[in-house]
């Protein structure tokens, strides 16, 4: 839809009139997650020290799940539309990641319980975040009603589904360690024996042998969702280049397309952060709606079968920028070396297979304590989220906000000039999708920066300076490029 039509569209949707729009759901979640606070302890010399203590914190998440029900970010759906008469040019790839078709969704979410940094305005800090998601549902017709054409036409029925929020699954890059009498070694220090009919064993010490997959980041768009300490690690910097080396190794292994490599002024290396993920399942209801929208991968003859509600439980992970027992201190522009309390080395490192000391490394794996294993997934988030979630279809009054040319210019990677008189979409229904994301973000908090149109555009760049550290955008150009939201010209 062209830019000039968005104003009229906003009024139509607000008034309840139907237009071809993405499906939008009200989202709620009540979760508990690990967090940190500063406490005073005494070391072995009876000296008072201020350190970080981990604790469990509650949070209420609120927002919107925006489902790309028209496939505006799907390369296969766009190509099919163009082949069958669409005038979209599709000059920009729809997505660099996995093509989820109409199952691709974006969670626009805000946490009004997030801990706010001292001296920072709460509304400007607790802004909306846009996270990638994928929704899969199954409709169960239990009424056995049939229309004149012989097809089931129940007005409602049961639904079951999964809602995953987070990055893609990619190849892991680290191996797990074991603490032996002889010292620290890789769990697969020598290639295991392979039995008859089994796949070939990995080479000894091959990265990734600790698990089958790893959760990818998505350009830091979840930064600060769970508060001040849910951000990049400044406290660990200059600790024998420990965090930096770990992050660099991880980036090289799996973040080729969403690379985050902006150096902080005053020190070298890539500072450390990993995006939130939440994996949920639930039950609910589907309905049939005369609006004939599409939903959750269904189209064609199933177009009027729409997911109405879904609720259930979730588990997830978030990144906290400090470990238990890390000394709190102040930093000069060049940083300071962190010292660890002797009493903390064992207190903090309570993993099943702990390292001998905080700065020891093995085969370049310098941040072993961040290696979580969740079934088949190797995690880089540091701590746990658990709770409940629900979504309910919003049939009218869908939040929509017109895009500005500078915003589209950033999202398109400069394909659209920042001073252009107008622009067009290269994927059908893309502007409807992106303007809905903007409307939802601003409905949650009108101080949300949808996409930075001046200065640093990426979250990683903004958090590296004092002036913009907590003023992070909901959407970044790299995220738009990766997830197919920048296909404009």
């Amino acid at each position: 839809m062209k830019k000039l039509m968005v104003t009229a569209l906003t009024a139509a949707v607000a008034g309840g009139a139907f237009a071809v729009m993405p499906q939008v759901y009200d989202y709620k979640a009540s979760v508990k997650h690990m967090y940190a606070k500063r406490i005073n302890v005494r070391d072995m010399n009876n000296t008072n020290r201020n350190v970080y203590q981990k604790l469990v914190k509650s949070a209420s998440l609120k927002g919107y799940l925006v489902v790309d029900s028209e496939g505006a970010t799907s390369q296969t759906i766009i190509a099919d539309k163009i082949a069958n008469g669409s005038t979209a040019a599709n000059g920009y790839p729809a997505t660099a990641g996995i093509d989820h078709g109409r199952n691709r969704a974006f969670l626009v979410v805000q946490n009004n319980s997030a801990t706010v940094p001292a001296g920072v305005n709460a509304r400007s800090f607790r802004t909306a975040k846009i996270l990638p998601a994928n929704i899969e549902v199954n409709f169960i017709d239990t009424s056995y009603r049939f229309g004149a054409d012989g097809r089931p036409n129940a007005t409602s029925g049961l639904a079951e589904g999964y809602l995953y929020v987070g990055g893609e699954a990619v190849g892991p890059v680290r191996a797990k360690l074991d603490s032996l009498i002889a010292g620290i070694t890789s769990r697969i220090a020598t290639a295991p024996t392979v039995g008859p009919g089994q796949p070939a064993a990995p080479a000894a010490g091959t990265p990734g042998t600790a698990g089958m997959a790893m959760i990818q980041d998505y350009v830091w768009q979840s930064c600060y969702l769970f508060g001040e300490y849910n951000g990049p690690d400044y406290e660990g910097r200059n600790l024998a280049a420990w965090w930096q080396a770990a992050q660099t190794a991880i980036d090289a292994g799996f973040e080729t397309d969403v690379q985050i490599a902006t150096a902080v002024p005053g020190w070298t290396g890539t500072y450390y952060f990993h995006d939130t993920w939440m994996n949920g399942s639930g039950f609910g209801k589907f309905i049939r709606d005369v609006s004939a929208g599409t939903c959750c991968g269904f189209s064609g003859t199933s177009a009027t079968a729409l997911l109405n509600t879904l609720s259930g439980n979730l588990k997830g992970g978030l990144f906290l920028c400090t470990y238990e027992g890390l000394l709190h201190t102040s930093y000069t522009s060049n940083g300071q070396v962190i010292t660890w309390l002797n009493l903390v080395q064992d207190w903090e490192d309570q993993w099943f297979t702990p390292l001998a000391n905080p700065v020891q490394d093995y085969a370049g794996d310098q941040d072993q304590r961040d290696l979580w294993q969740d079934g088949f997934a190797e995690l880089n988030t540091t701590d746990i989220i658990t709770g409940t979630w629900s979504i309910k279809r919003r049939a009218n009054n869908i939040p929509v906000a017109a895009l500005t040319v500078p915003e589209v210019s950033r999202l398109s990677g400069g394909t659209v000039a920042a001073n252009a008189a107008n622009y067009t979409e290269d994927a059908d229904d893309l502007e409807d999708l992106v303007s809905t994301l903007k409307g939802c973000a601003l409905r949650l908090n009108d101080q949300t920066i949808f996409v930075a149109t001046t200065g640093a555009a990426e979250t990683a760049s903004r958090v590296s300076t004092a002036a913009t550290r907590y003023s992070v955008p909901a959407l970044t150009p790299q995220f738009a490029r990766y997830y197919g939201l920048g296909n404009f010209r």
Side-chain angles (χ1 to χ4, degrees), residues 285-316:
K285 296 285 186 180
F286 81 88
I287 59 172
R288 292 191 186 275
D289 195 300
V290 295
S291 62
T294 56
C295 170
C296 311
F298 294 102
S299 63
T301 57
S302 300
T304 57
L306 303 173
L307 178 67
N308 193 47
T309 61
L310 209 60
S311 64
N313 297 317
L314 66 81
K315 68 175 180 179

Side-chain angles (χ1 to χ4, degrees), residues 168-174 208-216 371-380:
E168 317 255 286
V170 294
V173 299
R174 294 185 289 170
T209 51
M212 297 168 57
M214 185 161 63
I215 296 177
Q216 187 181 46
L371 179 53
W372 282 88
Q373 199 76 23
D374 178 27
F376 67 88
E378 180 178 302
L379 308 180
N380 289 298

Side-chain angles (χ1 to χ4, degrees), residues 141-327:
D141 188 337
T142 58
S143 68
Y144 298 100
R145 292 179 51 186
F146 299 90
D149 60 357
R151 300 184 63 84
N153 67 349
T155 57
S156 64
L158 296 176
E160 61 176 344
Y162 291 101
L163 175 61
Y164 172 74
V165 179
E168 317 255 286
V170 294
V173 299
R174 294 185 289 170
K176 210 160 190 174
L177 305 185
D178 272 320
S179 180
L180 306 179
I181 295 175
I184 304 296
T185 185
S186 169
R187 177 157 297 176
I188 305 180
T190 58
T193 303
V194 178
Q198 295 183 9
T206 300
T209 51
M212 297 168 57
M214 185 161 63
I215 296 177
Q216 187 181 46
D217 288 339
Y218 42 92
V219 205
W220 292 23
Q221 289 198 185
S222 67
C223 188
Y224 304 134
L225 175 61
F226 288 94
E228 175 186 7
Y229 298 140
N230 179 210
D233 175 66
Y234 290 95
E235 306 286 35
R237 63 183 181 179
N238 293 338
L239 179 60
W242 180 30
W243 301 82
Q244 289 79 14
Q247 180 68 52
T248 300
I250 294 169
D251 285 345
F254 77 106
E255 291 193 353
T256 304
D257 292 304
V258 286
Q259 186 70 32
I260 308 164
T262 304
V264 176
W267 62 289
T268 59
T270 305
Y271 45 94
Y272 196 78
F273 180 77
H274 289 291
D275 277 305
T276 292
W277 61 275
M278 295 183 290
N279 197 5
S281 62
F283 301 100
K285 296 285 186 180
F286 81 88
I287 59 172
R288 292 191 186 275
D289 195 300
V290 295
S291 62
T294 56
C295 170
C296 311
F298 294 102
S299 63
T301 57
S302 300
T304 57
L306 303 173
L307 178 67
N308 193 47
T309 61
L310 209 60
S311 64
N313 297 317
L314 66 81
K315 68 175 180 179
L318 77 161
F319 182 90
L320 295 181
C321 65
T322 183
Y323 281 125
E324 170 105 346
L326 184 65
L327 279 170

